[in-house]
Amino acid sequence: MTALGEHTGKVVLPEPLPPLRRMFKHPMLMHHNRLAVSVLVINLVVLGFALPGGITPDFAADASLANFALAVLIRRQRLINLLFRLATAAPVTWPLKVRWTLGKVYHFGGLHVGGSVVGSLWFAVFVVLATVQGAPTAVLVLAYTLTALLAGILVTAMPKMRVKSHNRFELTHRFGGWLTLVLLWALVMTRIVHSGEPLLTAPQFWALIVLTVAIAAPWTRLRRVPVSIERPSSHVALTRFTHGRKPFAGSSTAISRSPLREWHSFANIPAPDEHGFRLTISRAGDWTGKFIDDMPSHVWVKGITTAGVANIETLFRKVVYVATGSGIGPCLPHLLAQEVPALLVWATRNPRVTYGDGLVDEILAVQPHARIWDTGAHGKPDMVELAYAAYRDFGAEAVICISNKKLTWQVVHGLERRGIPAYGAIWDS
């Protein structure tokens, strides 16, 4: 095992970018937020064109439905996989700045946020105009009920509220979303009946058909599957699945022990010469702790495997993977596949004790020069310095960091503000 510790020299980081360029690397201006704002800007442009003729309740309702459609569809698994496929189709001969931007494809959640918020604002406009113009009572009752429901969903989805009570957020988002769809159906059908328009010629009817199919599709693949679990330590469970097709490297699978309550996504670890795949589940909360302590024989899965952030590796000639603890899970399938030359930097406590000799030996077999920092022996390192040193020594074009939220953002933004392409999860779902 490659060990880094007290013999590692001080790393001198490059100077930050000029102030103007550095400003666009600030977390507040990350691509996720830019996409959310772009949805708002496009809607403001639409509003500007519509204002001279006056905004009618029907126009506001249709604008709301269009934005809700964006919010729902951008989260569909097949569309996510398509977005990754298109973004990573660019050859490595393209300019690095172009590939750097394409690598931000996983920020698509900004469109979900923008569509949800702007759609709710348009719906509020519809409610006001419908009230002023004396819409039928049935329409108003449905509209005000929907307004209260949308407000509840938005409030629980706010970052601070979501972190404070994630289970409440997930339940509100799921059941509130389903109820919203039902109420939208009732509202649209009521409006169509009152307008006298033929049902099959109403675009709102077909829009809801599409949304209903999109929301229901993953649940049509709901199934309970067997799982075998190895627990090398009380901190981690190595979970093996043999159902269905082998997932592609860099994808994730959502699993649950109670499918109507909560779901948790983990990176798939398929090995080239093995059937099935594995998940690395580390103790990081009540659900994972119970999973490790009370290992189930079966779990629920739904939908299809979905592309994750590390899939953007193919945009670059060489990459550095930076992982802490169980962050090795999402990195390992890419290291095993060896599609792109890579160097691993892994900081974790007592790796062989925590994860077992088998997993560590598997890593070293494909990454003999991996830089593994034992935090039990050497304490916590400066991960930005370790990441930059590996990037410099390996001649990489990008760094992919898989860690907790605080450290991921520290590494990603610490490198990007110095002109180094860096990527990591943004916890937007």
Side-chain angles (χ1 to χ4, degrees):
M1 179 186 305
T2 303
L4 300 179
E6 65 279 3
H7 58 279
T8 302
K10 179 69 175 177
V11 176
V12 179
L13 295 172
E15 289 296 318
L17 295 169
L20 184 60
R21 289 185 62 194
R22 190 166 70 243
M23 179 182 70
F24 286 98
K25 304 302 179 184
H26 192 279
M28 291 297 294
L29 292 178
M30 63 180 177
H31 289 73
H32 177 277
N33 296 341
R34 296 185 203 178
L35 288 173
V37 171
S38 71
V39 175
L40 175 61
V41 170
I42 291 172
N43 276 269
L44 288 175
V45 171
V46 171
L47 176 63
F49 280 109
L51 273 177
I55 304 297
T56 64
D58 285 346
F59 182 89
D62 292 343
S64 175
L65 184 57
N67 280 278
F68 287 148
L70 171 65
V72 170
L73 295 177
I74 200 64
R75 284 293 193 194
R76 297 311 93 194
Q77 295 164 316
R78 294 188 186 281
L79 181 56
I80 292 171
N81 289 343
L82 176 61
L83 290 175
F84 271 90
R85 193 173 296 117
L86 293 174
T88 57
V92 294
T93 53
W94 283 18
L96 180 58
K97 287 185 178 180
V98 175
R99 291 179 283 132
W100 189 344
T101 301
L102 288 173
K104 301 296 183 179
V105 61
Y106 61 94
H107 287 253
F108 60 83
L111 297 176
H112 172 77
V113 173
S116 300
V117 173
V118 177
S120 298
L121 292 175
W122 273 116
F123 194 80
V125 172
F126 161 73
V127 172
V128 171
L129 294 176
T131 302
V132 171
Q133 297 184 16
T137 302
V139 170
L140 293 178
V141 169
L142 289 169
Y144 278 98
T145 304
L146 256 172
T147 300
L149 183 58
L150 291 171
I153 292 174
L154 290 178
V155 168
T156 57
M158 294 177 66
K160 290 184 178 179
M161 292 288 291
R162 192 168 62 192
V163 171
K164 184 178 180 180
S165 184
H166 185 81
N167 287 347
R168 180 182 299 171
F169 153 73
E170 188 171 344
L171 290 172
T172 302
H173 227 63
R174 178 174 300 115
F175 291 107
W178 291 348
L179 182 55
T180 296
L181 181 63
V182 171
L183 292 176
L184 279 174
W185 265 111
L187 180 59
V188 168
M189 295 300 289
T190 302
R191 288 175 56 211
I192 291 175
V193 169
H194 278 279
S195 69
E197 181 181 2
L199 181 64
L200 297 182
T201 63
Q204 301 88 345
F205 170 77
W206 293 107
L208 284 177
I209 288 286
V210 171
L211 293 185
T212 303
V213 171
I215 291 171
W219 293 91
T220 63
R221 299 175 64 89
L222 178 68
R223 57 201 184 279
R224 188 169 179 261
V225 299
V227 59
S228 59
I229 301 174
E230 176 189 350
R231 188 172 57 193
S233 72
S234 61
H235 177 73
V236 65
L238 303 179
T239 310
R240 185 177 294 276
F241 295 82
T242 56
H243 70 278
R245 294 182 180 178
K246 178 185 290 189
F248 59 91
S251 61
S252 64
T253 291
I255 64 174
S256 176
R257 301 181 72 171
S258 178
L260 290 179
R261 294 186 59 191
E262 56 182 321
W263 288 84
H264 297 264
S265 291
F266 300 93
N268 300 319
I269 308 176
D273 56 349
E274 291 182 6
H275 176 62
F277 62 99
R278 292 163 289 168
L279 305 179
T280 302
I281 300 176
S282 293
R283 191 180 296 274
D286 294 341
W287 191 90
T288 52
K290 184 177 180 181
F291 188 97
I292 294 170
D293 295 335
D294 177 27
M295 299 183 293
S297 61
H298 292 73
V299 295
W300 291 90
V301 297
K302 67 180 174 71
I304 61 174
T305 53
T306 311
V309 55
N311 278 272
I312 55 94
E313 66 164 8
T314 56
L315 285 167
F316 306 101
R317 293 181 175 88
K318 290 184 176 182
V319 298
V320 167
Y321 279 100
V322 176
T324 61
S326 59
I328 188 63
C331 301
L332 185 53
H334 296 283
L335 301 176
L336 294 175
Q338 301 185 74
E339 291 186 29
V340 176
L343 176 63
L344 171 66
V345 178
W346 184 26
T348 187
R349 179 180 295 275
N350 304 323
R352 290 192 179 275
V353 173
T354 304
Y355 296 92
D357 288 332
L359 185 67
V360 174
D361 289 340
E362 186 178 14
I363 293 169
L364 292 176
V366 293
Q367 280 284 304
H369 302 294
R371 303 184 176 189
I372 301 177
W373 183 295
D374 185 346
T375 58
H378 305 296
K380 294 183 178 180
D382 185 321
M383 293 303 294
V384 176
E385 289 187 358
L386 288 187
Y388 173 69
Y391 165 86
R392 176 198 62 198
D393 298 343
F394 191 55
E397 287 190 318
V399 173
I400 300 172
C401 180
I402 310 293
S403 182
N404 58 62
K405 184 174 183 178
K406 180 179 179 181
L407 198 144
T408 297
W409 283 20
Q410 179 183 337
V411 171
V412 170
H413 299 300
L415 294 176
E416 291 238 321
R417 67 195 298 269
R418 291 178 168 84
I420 299 170
Y423 305 88
I426 54 176
W427 288 271
D428 66 318
S429 60

